Amino acid sequence: MKAFVFDFDGTMIDTEAVWFDETQKYLQANYGLDLPMDVYEQVVGSTDEPLLLYMAEQTNGKFDAAAFQKYIDVQVHNGRDKLEMRPGFMRLFNYAKDNGYKIGLATSSARAWVDPILEKFGILEDFETIQTADDVEVIKPDPALYRQAVEALGVKPEEAVAVEDSRNGSLSAVGAGLHVIVVKNEVTKGIVFPEGTSVYDSFEDVDLDAFLAGK
């Protein structure tokens, strides 16, 4: 192994829970509807198109997607300064950094969202490459983000470990040929992840020495 490529939302910081909670509040308050978990699983780590299609169907085309997106953007972005790293994430990140692994990031989010948060936590400069939604035509679960990340790092896919929290992200990394560690969060703990991924309930459960020894 020569590199680690990290996902961002839901993996490093638990914005997935914020997004899920705020979406539930909005749908219940404005339409009296809940966000079904099978729809959420399609959305997390990727585009919100499945949710928009679901809501259009449930409301006979009356769902105001623009108003919903504006609400979510305000709620999530206004809470940016309160975001914290997921417990145990920095232990894994520092392991990669201290042991000389190349470090990259592959996220379906925009660069304008990612950079200020990485800078806030003082780790922006630790990434040799940051691949975002701005850099590809198709985001996760398409493998483009991870393919570009390992290419930018100058390593083969099989020489890199992806660290993810979502099914869409895992599919992206598996499709690109990386080894995959999944650390579930509160809203992805019930998801079935792709075969071949190593799935953990928390970062504290990840034994990197054992994981890497088996690769």
Side-chain angles (χ1 to χ4, degrees), residues 12-213:
M12 298 173 65
I13 52 174
D14 199 6
T15 45
E16 304 292 9
V18 176
W19 187 93
F20 182 84
D21 290 343
E22 291 298 337
T23 298
Q24 282 279 49
K25 290 178 185 177
Y26 186 87
L27 297 184
Q28 290 170 353
N30 291 277
Y31 298 96
L33 296 170
D34 290 319
L35 172 58
M37 190 53 65
D38 61 332
V39 175
Y40 173 73
E41 289 178 10
Q42 298 174 57
V43 172
V44 62
S46 186
T47 173
D48 59 3
E49 184 175 350
L51 170 63
L52 301 183
L53 290 173
Y54 171 80
M55 290 305 300
E57 292 172 356
Q58 294 297 309
T59 61
N60 294 316
K62 296 179 181 179
F63 181 64
D64 189 336
F68 164 72
Q69 194 59 61
K70 182 178 180 180
Y71 171 85
I72 293 298
D73 286 347
V74 169
Q75 296 304 314
V76 174
H77 282 76
N78 283 352
R80 181 163 60 187
D81 292 340
K82 299 177 183 178
L83 292 172
E84 300 290 343
M85 286 286 187
R86 284 186 60 192
F89 172 79
M90 287 306 299
R91 179 183 68 85
L92 192 153
F93 186 83
N94 286 330
Y95 179 103
K97 181 179 174 181
D98 295 343
N99 286 279
Y101 290 92
K102 292 177 177 289
I103 297 176
L105 188 144
T107 174
S108 292
S109 294
R111 186 78 183 238
W113 166 251
V114 173
D115 279 9
I117 298 175
L118 295 179
E119 192 166 19
K120 168 190 171 182
F121 290 112
I123 60 174
L124 176 62
E125 301 303 322
D126 292 321
F127 291 90
E128 295 182 41
T129 185
I130 295 176
Q131 299 293 321
T132 73
D134 304 331
D135 303 308
V136 293
E137 293 184 4
V138 186
I139 57 174
K140 302 172 185 177
D142 188 272
L145 280 163
Y146 278 106
R147 284 175 177 163
Q148 290 185 188
V150 293
E151 182 177 353
L153 292 173
V155 301
K156 299 175 183 178
E158 62 269 23
E159 296 173 331
V161 179
V163 182
E164 275 284 352
D165 74 301
S166 71
R167 179 172 175 80
N168 283 319
S170 302
L171 289 169
S172 174
V174 169
L178 284 73
H179 303 280
V180 183
I181 288 174
V182 175
V183 183
K184 296 182 286 186
N185 58 44
E186 270 304 303
V187 292
T188 64
K189 61 185 179 182
I191 291 176
V192 177
F193 291 93
E195 186 176 352
T197 57
S198 297
V199 183
Y200 302 89
D201 291 324
S202 70
F203 281 103
E204 286 79 5
D205 295 333
V206 183
D207 184 339
L208 278 176
D209 288 324
F211 176 84
L212 295 168

